[in-house]
Each structure stands twice: as structure tokens, then as C-alpha cells.
Amino acid sequence: MLPSGALNLRELEELAREKLSPMAYAYYASGALEEVTLRENVAAWARLPLHYRVLVDVSERDLSTTVLGAPVSMPILVAPTAFHKLACEAGELATARAAAAEGTVMCLSSLSNTRVEDVCAATAGPAAGRPPVWFQLYVYRDRAATAALVARAEAAGAGAIVLTVDAPVLGRRERDVRNEFHLPDGLRVENMSAVSDLGDVSLRSSASSLAAYFAEKLDPSLSWKDVAWLRSVTRLPVAVKGIVRPDDARRAVDHGAAAVIVSNHGGRQLDGSPATATVLGPIADAVRGRIEVLVDGGVRRGADVLRALSLGARAVLIGRPILWGLATGGEDGARAVLSTFRFELDQAMTLAGCPSVVDATRDLVG
Ligand SMILES: Cc1cc2nc3c(=O)[nH]c(=O)nc-3n(C[C@H](O)[C@H](O)[C@H](O)COP(=O)(O)O)c2cc1C
């Protein structure tokens, strides 16, 4: 059951909006510029008809799968989103516990309010028979600090590094500019708080302080050769997040990535970039099973997950709905969001004649 009797994620977002400060709600909800891509991400899934099969025995269903070799109870993962302590006091610990309890992977953002060591310890990961935490990486201009962060994530037990490649600068989110977005006193980028001022996103700009942080600290010269650099500093599999083109997906294969995540950052970077539902199929075709393809952006219903699997995704990642769960019910709220997705996917698979995830083949979406 979702918090406060919400029936679906749209209703939950309304409840979250009432709980959050206007600045935090806008930071979570917003997209870049006209927010065209933000809206299209959701709309494009809904436009894909599901050509269901009939008279298939669906009395038992199996939603489980694996991602990068790790067993998960369902093909629904938690996307990396920054600053969970804007939503609830326990922040990323609540998210990690919720994901572990639901048997799935949480991808922790570089920009978390909780250290990667503490998040990995909160779930105990594979050692406790639970899926690992993955670590999302932003590459700083300070490469030594970046490599040290990767080493910490690996030592803490993270199962993969997710390299975000769609943010050489922060997309302009006008709601954040208007609100002069910054972290309230006491909240920091904890992973970097030991390194000079890399932990500080407090008010320092009359626009978005996060945009200023990105411009100053993160490395806009990042290029394909840095995938090799990253692979040279970690033994963990590297997933490249932020791909919307088949040729870039092929480059990721050529550069040794273990997975690509088809993503436009939830419509927060280049406004006008394609909805992920429209590019997933061609990207999966280009990669042809050589590496895993994951997708995020606008997944709001179990049927969207089924559509994504049918187009060739191994799993989806969920961004904002998890934040709405945290804001309205902390760990239990985030867990309820995941179990709502599980319930809806199970029902969609039942109605579509798909007893297991491998039955979600391309013909389902026409
Ligand atoms: C509030 C917020 C913060 C985010 N922070 C990060 C981040 O730190 N790193 C990253 O790679 N992606 C980040 N993203 C993008 C998400 O990982 C994901 O691509 C996107 O939210 C998926 O779309 P959805 O929110 O429509 O599910 C963020 C998204 C939101 C909404």
C-alpha cells in the first residue's frame, strides 16, 4: 500500500509535494528548460500499445532476473538520484534498506547525503544474500579525488560503477534558478566532504548552487578514452549511463562497458532529447546482446516496465517515484513504491500472457 492511501504514483507525487519544501519539491520534479523531454519520457511509454497474447497458462509468474550477474527479484532498480535527505531524515539509508528488502539494486548517487561506506553497510549486499548497491560516478576535474572515490566504493562492496556521461554541465532547470537551489545547512555531498570544498553545495550563487558546483568541480573534458581510464582504476563492471544513440551504445561496447543505461537523465539535461522509450529498441538492436541494456525515464506503471523489457531492456530504473515514496513515508514509502511496481508488472505480465520476463518479446509492442 502506498502512503496515505495513494492509489498510484501520480497521487503520491501530489502528497509528496505537500510534504516537501517548495525548493526541494521543485529540485526533484523539474526538468531542463521547457521540460519537453520530461513530459515526453512519460507520454512515449503510454503510446506503445501492448499486443497481449491469450490462452497462455499464467497461473504462476516469475518476475526475477539478473543484472550484471546479480540476482534481483524483479527487473526494477532504483536509479541514482542526489540528496535523499531533502526527502527524509534517514536519506539514502532508507532507500538502500527499501531496495534490499524488495530484493533489488539501489544505485547510489555520487551526490548523496550519506557516505557510500554507510549505504553499503546498511544492506550488507551479497554477503547477506541481497543484491549489491551500485555506485554512480560523476568525474571531478580532480582525477585523484575521483579515483579515490571509486576505490572507496569498491572497498565498501559496491557491485558496479555507473558512469554518468550526459552531464558535462548541469542542464538549466529554471525552477531551481528561480528558487536559488542549494543544500540547507547541515546537508553536504558526504562522499566528498573530506576533500577540500568538494562537499559543499550550500548557497553560493544567486542561481542554482548545484549548477555552480558542477561548472566548478566536474570535468567537462570527459571523453570515451576516460572509460578506459575508469576501467584501469577499478575491477568493477562499468555501466555507461545517459546513452540515447545506437552508435554511442556500440562505442560503449567497444570501450569495454558491461552495460549501457538508455537515459536522458529524466529530462534534466538536454531538453529536446528523445524520450527513452523511442530509442531503446534501436539501441538494443545495435548492441545485440553483447552487453546489458537498461533504461530509465518516465517509467510510472508496471506496463511501462513490460514495454521496456519487450524492447530489449534487461531492467528499468526508477527515479522520481522513489523520492515521492521517501518524502511521504521514508523507508516504508520507498518500499511501497517498489512493491506497487512489482504488483503492476505482475498484473501486466499476467494480462499480456507472459509468465516470465523472457516472454516479454518484441512482438508484444508491435
Ligand atoms: C532529483 C534527481 C536527482 C538526480 N540525480 C542524479 C545523479 O546524481 N546522478 C545521475 O546519474 N542521475 C541523476 N538523476 C537522473 C536519474 O538517475 C534518472 O536518470 C531519472 O531520474 C529517471 O527518470 P524518472 O525520474 O522519470 O524515473 C537524478 C534525477 C532526479 C529526478
Side-chain angles (χ1 to χ4, degrees):
M1 265 274 273
L2 289 169
S4 310
L7 269 187
N8 56 49
L9 301 171
R10 244 181 303 112
E11 292 182 8
L12 192 68
E13 176 171 353
E14 280 315 304
L15 295 166
R17 184 210 285 262
E18 289 163 18
K19 294 255 173 168
L20 291 164
S21 73
M23 184 179 76
Y25 172 74
Y27 169 67
Y28 285 165
S30 63
L33 300 180
E34 291 294 319
E35 304 189 335
V36 170
T37 300
L38 174 71
R39 287 188 295 277
E40 274 300 301
N41 270 351
V42 177
W45 291 116
R47 278 198 290 268
L48 291 174
L50 281 163
H51 300 254
Y52 61 89
R53 293 182 198 112
V54 297
L55 296 177
V56 177
D57 178 353
V58 287
S59 52
E60 286 177 30
R61 279 92 50 207
D62 181 3
L63 276 60
S64 65
T65 185
T66 61
V67 281
L68 295 179
V72 283
S73 69
M74 58 181 175
I76 302 168
L77 282 46
V78 176
T81 53
F83 308 144
H84 290 190
K85 287 197 179 176
L86 291 173
C88 73
E89 211 177 315
E92 289 81 6
L93 292 182
T95 323
R97 291 186 184 121
E102 290 296 321
T104 195
V105 165
M106 170 201 185
C107 185
L108 178 72
S109 167
S110 272
L111 304 181
S112 54
N113 299 130
T114 312
R115 294 162 69 241
V116 59
E117 289 84 354
D118 299 335
V119 174
C120 288
T123 77
R130 291 179 146 176
V133 169
W134 291 355
F135 184 73
Q136 177 268 326
L137 183 70
Y138 282 129
V139 174
Y140 286 83
R141 291 175 193 264
D142 182 341
R143 285 299 172 96
T146 309
L149 180 58
V150 171
R152 281 174 50 205
E154 186 168 344
I161 302 293
V162 172
L163 176 68
T164 298
V165 295
D166 58 11
V169 295
L170 199 74
R172 187 168 164 88
R173 303 152 194 176
E174 291 178 351
R175 299 196 234 178
D176 290 347
V177 175
R178 173 83 63 232
N179 294 333
E180 300 184 358
F181 174 78
H182 60 277
L183 284 184
D185 283 352
L187 295 193
R188 295 171 61 78
V189 177
E190 285 298 335
N191 286 322
M192 298 312 261
S193 56
V195 192
S196 63
D197 61 348
L198 292 186
D200 183 13
V201 193
S202 58
L203 188 60
R204 65 162 105 197
S205 143
S206 61
S208 161
S209 292
L210 186 60
Y213 178 94
F214 259 67
E216 255 174 70
K217 313 289 182 203
L218 298 183
D219 189 352
S221 78
L222 197 69
S223 67
W224 283 108
K225 68 179 177 353
D226 296 308
V227 177
W229 168 78
L230 178 57
R231 292 181 62 225
S232 78
V233 299
T234 181
R235 286 188 304 268
L236 294 176
V238 171
V240 178
K241 174 173 182 281
I243 298 289
V244 297
R245 299 170 56 107
D247 56 356
D248 275 345
R250 270 186 233 107
R251 277 182 201 105
V253 175
D254 295 342
H255 286 81
V260 288
I261 303 181
V262 177
S263 174
N264 53 37
H265 215 110
R268 293 161 79 80
Q269 288 298 107
L270 178 63
D271 195 32
S273 56
T276 48
T278 66
V279 292
L280 171 60
I283 288 174
D285 291 344
V287 163
R288 274 185 287 119
R290 285 175 291 174
I291 60 175
E292 293 185 1
V293 177
L294 292 89
V295 65
D296 71 25
V299 175
R300 297 293 178 269
R301 291 284 187 181
D304 299 337
V305 183
L306 186 60
R307 292 171 166 114
L309 300 180
S310 306
L311 288 169
R314 183 102 194 151
V316 304
L317 297 91
I318 307 296
R320 294 177 184 84
I322 298 292
L323 301 171
W324 310 144
L326 287 176
T328 51
E331 178 182 335
D332 291 345
R335 199 171 166 185
V337 167
L338 288 168
S339 63
T340 298
F341 270 108
R342 183 195 307 282
F343 168 80
E344 289 193 5
L345 174 60
D346 181 59
Q347 189 168 69
M349 286 170 58
T350 309
L351 292 171
C354 296
S356 79
V357 294
V358 294
D359 300 310
T361 45
R362 183 67 69 90
D363 50 289
L364 267 192
V365 282

